[in-house]
C-alpha cells in the first residue's frame, strides 16, 4: 500500500518548484544583456508576446511573503517607481522596430492593487505606445483586498483588468495574526462582488497551507469560505519557510508551523474539498472550474508553467519589467536588477537593467521540456521528442528507466517510452522531475519543501 508519509520521510531534501528550468539560482551576471538583445532581434511581428510587470511595494508586510517587495506607508516612493517602470517600457520601445501584440499581461508584486488611478493610466498609455493591446489581451492583476475600494476597482477596470487574482491565504483570525495579515471574509467578499459588478470576468483566489497555527479544520473552513466566493480558479500553495532568505519570516515562530506530515494531509484534505465542490485539479496546486480556460488547456495538453505558476500562456517570449522581474526568450532567461534603488538608478541613466541571465543549451531545452510536461501532464513520451537530438533524448530516456528502477515507492512507471507519474503520487512529481535536473544541488541552493 502506498504510504505518503514514508515518501516524505525518505525525501527530506527540498526541491525546486520548477517554474523555470534551469531555475533562478543558475542565472549568472553579465549574461542578461546579451540574451535580451538576441531575444529582441528574433521577435516576429506575427507572434504575440506576454509581459510581467513587478510592483515591489506593499502597505503592510505579511510575514509569510517570499516575494521581492518592501513595506511603505507613503505613496511617494511608489509614484517615483512607477515613473521608472514607465521609463523602462520607453527604453524597450527604442529597441523595437514594430509594436508586438501583447497576448497576456500580468501585474504582480508586492501589491499592484495599491496603485492609484493616475499611475495606472500613465502605465497603460506607455504600454499602448509600445505594444498592441486589444480585446484578445488577457490582463491579470494581483489584488490585496485591503487596498481596494470602489474607486480603485474603477481604475483597475479602466486599465483593462480581465482576471483578478485575489490573495486570501487564510481567514482564521489567529492564523492571520501569526502572519501579520488581517483580512476579513466580509471585506474579501465585498471586493470580489465589486470586481464582478464592474465586469471582471474571471477571479482567482490564492490560499496557503502550512501556515503557523493553521490546523486542518481551520484550513478547511477557509477553503469552504473561498468556495462560497465562487472563484473561477483557486491556487493552493504550500508556505515556504525560508527565513535565511526572507528575514521578516523570523517573525513566525517555528514551533507554530505544522510538521511535514500534517502539511501533506492538510493539502490533500483541502484538495478533496475543492474537487467535491466541482473544481478540476490542475497540476499540483491549482484548481479551476471545468469551463475555465485553465481547465480547458489542461484537458487539451496545452497547460504551461511559468513564474506565476500554471498558466495558459504559451507565448515564446515573456518580457519582464520592474525590479527583480524575470523575462524569457526561446533561448534564455533574463532577470532585472533586484534592489529597487539600483534598478531606478540604471533606468535614470538610460540603461536597461538586465542584470542576470542564462543562455539555454539544447540540453537545457530538452530537460526543461521534460520537467514542464511532467509538472503539467504528469507524463512524458520520449518517442515524441523528435525536435531534440536523438542522442540527448536517449540519455534522458535512460534516466527515466533509472528513476523507475530506483523508486522504492512506485511514484512513477514506464509504459513503453512513456514515463508516467502514478495518480496516487502526483503530489510528489517534483521529486521525479528533479531526476532530470542537471543542476540540482540542494547542498548549494535553498529550495522549498517537496510538498
Amino acid at each position: 500500500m502506498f504510504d505518503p508519509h514514508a515518501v516524505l520521510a525518505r525525501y527530506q531534501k527540498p526541491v525546486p518548484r520548477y517554474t523555470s528550468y534551469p531555475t533562478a539560482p543558475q542565472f549568472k551576471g553579465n549574461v542578461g544583456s546579451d540574451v535580451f538583445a538576441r531575444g529582441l532581434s528574433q521577435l516576429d511581428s506575427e507572434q504575440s508576446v506576454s509581459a510581467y510587470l513587478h510592483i515591489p511595494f506593499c502597505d503592510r508586510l505579511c510575514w509569510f511573503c517570499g516575494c521581492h517587495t518592501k513595506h511603505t506607508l507613503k505613496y511617494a516612493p511608489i509614484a517615483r517607481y512607477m515613473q521608472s517602470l514607465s521609463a523602462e517600457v520607453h527604453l524597450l520601445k527604442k529597441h523595437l522596430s514594430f509594436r508586438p501584440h501583447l497576448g497576456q499581461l500580468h501585474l504582480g508584486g508586492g501589491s499592484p492593487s495599491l496603485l492609484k488611478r493616475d499611475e495606472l493610466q500613465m502605465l497603460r498609455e506607455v504600454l499602448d505606445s509600445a505594444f498592441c493591446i486589444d480585446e484578445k489581451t488577457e490582463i491579470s492583476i494581483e489584488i490585496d483586498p485591503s487596498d481596494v475600494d470602489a474607486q480603485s476597482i474603477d481604475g483597475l477596470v479602466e486599465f483593462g483588468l480581465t482576471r483578478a487574482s485575489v490573495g486570501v491565504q487564510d481567514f482564521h483570525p489567529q492564523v492571520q495574526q501569526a502572519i501579520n495579515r488581517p483580512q476579513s471574509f466580509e471585506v474579501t467578499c465585498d471586493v470580489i462582488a465589486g470586481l464582478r459588478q464592474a465586469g471582471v470576468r474571471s477571479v482567482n483566489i490564492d490560499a496557503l497551507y502550512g501556515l503557523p497555527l493553521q490546523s486542518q479544520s481551520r484550513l478547511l473552513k477557509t477553503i469552504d469560505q473561498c468556495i462560497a466566493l465562487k472563484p473561477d480558479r483557486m491556487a493552493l500553495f504550500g508556505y515556504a519557510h525560508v527565513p535565511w532568505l526572507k528575514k521578516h519570516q523570523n517573525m513566525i515562530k517555528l514551533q507554530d508551523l505544522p510538521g511535514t506530515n500534517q502539511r501533506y494531509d492538510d493539502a490533500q484534505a483541502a484538495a478533496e474539498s475543492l474537487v467535491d465542490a466541482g473544481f478540476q485539479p490542475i497540476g499540483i496546486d491549482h484548481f479551476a472550474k471545468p469551463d475555465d480556460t485553465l481547465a480547458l488547456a489542461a484537458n487539451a495538453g496545452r497547460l504551461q508553467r511559468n513564474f506565476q505558476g500554471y498558466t495558459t500562456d504559451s507565448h515564446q517570449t515573456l518580457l519582464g519589467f520592474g525590479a527583480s522581474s524575470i523575462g524569457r526568450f526561446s533561448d534564455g532567461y533574463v532577470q532585472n536588477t533586484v534592489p529597487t534603488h539600483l534598478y531606478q538608478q540604471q533606468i535614470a541613466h538610460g540603461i536597461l537593467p538586465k542584470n542576470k541571465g542564462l543562455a539555454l543549451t539544447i540540453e537545457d531545452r530538452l530537460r526543461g521540456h521534460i520537467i514542464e510536461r511532467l509538472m503539467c501532464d504528469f507524463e512524458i513520451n520520449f518517442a515524441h521528442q523528435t525536435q531534440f537530438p536523438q542522442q540527448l533524448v536517449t540519455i534522458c530516456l535512460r534516466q527515466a528507466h533509472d528513476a523507475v528502477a530506483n523508486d522504492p515507492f512506485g511514484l512513477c512507471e514506464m509504459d513503453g517510452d512513456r514515463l508516467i507519474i502514478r495518480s496516487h503520487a502526483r503530489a510528489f512529481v517534483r521529486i521525479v522531475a528533479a531526476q532530470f535536473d542537471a543542476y540540482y544541488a540542494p547542498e548549494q541552493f535553498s529550495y522549498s519543501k517537496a510538498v
Side-chain angles (χ1 to χ4, degrees):
M1 176 178 284
F2 181 68
D3 183 357
H5 293 169
V7 179
L8 293 169
R10 168 71 177 267
Y11 295 103
Q12 293 289 331
K13 293 180 180 179
V15 292
R17 293 183 184 272
Y18 290 120
T19 53
S20 72
Y21 181 83
T23 56
Q26 303 301 329
F27 297 174
K28 307 297 182 185
N30 302 318
V31 178
S33 295
D34 291 341
V35 174
F36 186 73
R38 187 166 57 252
L40 287 184
S41 71
Q42 296 171 352
L43 288 183
D44 184 345
S45 61
E46 299 299 317
Q47 294 181 338
S48 297
V49 302
S50 58
Y52 172 77
L53 278 65
H54 189 63
I55 315 297
F57 293 96
C58 297
D59 52 13
R60 58 179 176 179
L61 182 62
C62 302
W63 296 338
F64 68 86
C65 184
C67 301
H68 291 298
T69 187
K70 58 177 60 179
H71 178 219
T72 181
L73 295 177
K74 298 179 181 179
Y75 195 75
I78 302 172
R80 287 194 297 270
Y81 176 84
M82 293 305 294
Q83 292 287 343
S84 298
L85 187 63
S86 296
E88 184 185 1
V89 179
H90 272 302
L91 286 174
L92 172 76
K93 181 182 174 183
K94 295 178 180 179
H95 293 264
L96 298 175
S97 59
F98 60 93
R99 288 169 64 220
H101 178 261
L102 200 57
Q104 295 202 3
L105 171 64
H106 186 90
L107 272 64
S111 297
S113 52
L114 55 70
L115 295 177
K116 293 183 178 179
R117 212 164 182 170
D118 288 347
E119 276 68 42
L120 285 169
Q121 289 175 345
M122 175 186 66
L123 182 60
R124 178 59 195 258
E125 288 174 5
V126 71
L127 287 169
D128 279 325
S129 74
F131 300 100
C132 177
I133 303 174
D134 57 22
E135 69 282 353
K136 296 180 180 179
T137 305
E138 180 180 295
I139 301 177
S140 59
I141 301 177
E142 296 174 11
I143 290 177
D144 179 348
S146 68
D147 297 328
V148 175
D149 56 26
Q151 185 175 7
S152 55
I153 288 177
D154 288 342
L156 293 168
V157 171
E158 287 175 4
F159 181 80
L161 174 67
T162 63
R163 172 170 288 111
S165 185
V166 180
V168 167
Q169 321 321 332
D170 192 289
F171 279 124
H172 195 280
Q174 283 184 272
V175 177
Q176 291 183 352
Q177 184 177 6
I179 61 175
N180 195 40
R181 188 186 173 92
Q183 178 181 321
S184 71
F185 173 78
E186 290 73 23
V187 165
T188 309
C189 183
D190 289 344
V191 167
I192 291 179
L195 290 166
R196 295 287 197 191
Q197 187 173 2
V200 177
R201 57 180 183 262
S202 181
V203 173
N204 172 80
I205 289 179
D206 288 344
L208 286 175
Y209 66 89
L211 291 173
L213 303 181
Q214 186 186 58
S215 64
Q216 187 171 125
S217 61
R218 288 176 176 179
L219 174 60
L220 292 180
K221 183 175 181 180
T222 289
I223 296 301
D224 286 343
Q225 289 173 296
C226 289
I227 292 170
L229 296 173
K230 298 181 178 180
D232 303 277
R233 302 178 184 178
M234 273 202 64
L236 180 64
F237 297 120
Y239 166 60
H241 190 62
V242 288
W244 54 90
L245 294 177
K246 300 296 178 181
K247 300 300 182 185
H248 54 264
Q249 290 188 354
N250 283 303
M251 301 298 293
I252 292 177
K253 298 177 182 178
L254 194 60
Q255 64 268 25
D256 289 342
L257 293 172
T260 301
N261 288 346
Q262 184 186 335
R263 280 174 60 97
Y264 174 84
D265 293 343
D266 291 352
Q268 295 302 299
E272 290 174 8
S273 291
L274 288 166
V275 171
D276 288 344
F279 287 86
Q280 177 180 326
I282 308 292
I284 58 172
D285 50 21
H286 283 50
F287 301 83
K289 288 298 181 68
D291 59 348
D292 184 86
T293 55
L294 195 66
L296 296 176
N299 294 338
R302 294 184 284 102
L303 187 65
Q304 308 291 318
R305 187 163 173 82
N306 64 18
F307 299 101
Q308 282 76 59
Y310 290 104
T311 177
T312 61
D313 185 359
S314 60
H315 302 104
Q316 288 292 309
T317 300
L318 168 65
L319 299 171
F321 297 93
S324 80
S325 67
I326 299 177
R328 181 197 66 240
F329 296 93
S330 61
D331 62 353
Y333 293 99
V334 179
Q335 183 172 23
N336 275 2
T337 300
V338 175
T340 304
H341 69 287
L342 294 179
Y343 161 81
Q344 291 180 276
Q345 286 177 15
Q346 289 176 301
I347 294 295
H349 287 90
I351 301 170
L352 282 169
K354 307 306 172 185
N355 184 49
K356 289 184 177 182
L358 183 73
L360 296 175
T361 66
I362 188 65
E363 182 176 350
D364 289 334
R365 294 192 192 98
L366 170 59
R367 292 183 178 276
H369 176 71
I370 292 169
I371 289 172
E372 183 176 32
R373 292 341 303 161
L374 287 174
M375 294 293 296
C376 292
D377 304 332
F378 300 109
E379 67 173 68
I380 178 77
N381 192 329
F382 290 91
H384 292 170
Q385 310 314 314
T386 55
Q387 70 273 37
F388 300 103
Q390 185 58 47
Q391 182 181 5
L392 291 177
V393 175
T394 300
I395 291 172
C396 290
L397 177 59
R398 190 179 305 126
Q399 286 184 289
H401 282 286
D402 289 344
V404 172
N406 297 320
D407 174 12
F409 301 104
L411 302 180
C412 54
E413 62 183 345
M414 294 298 300
D415 179 9
D417 289 328
R418 293 168 63 217
L419 175 64
I420 303 169
I421 308 297
R422 289 178 167 165
S423 58
H424 58 262
R426 289 183 170 182
F428 302 101
V429 62
R430 288 162 58 199
I431 294 172
V432 180
Q435 305 297 309
F436 299 93
D437 186 345
Y439 302 90
Y440 179 51
E443 298 81 9
Q444 298 180 30
F445 303 106
S446 298
Y447 305 113
S448 58
K449 290 186 175 182
V451 176

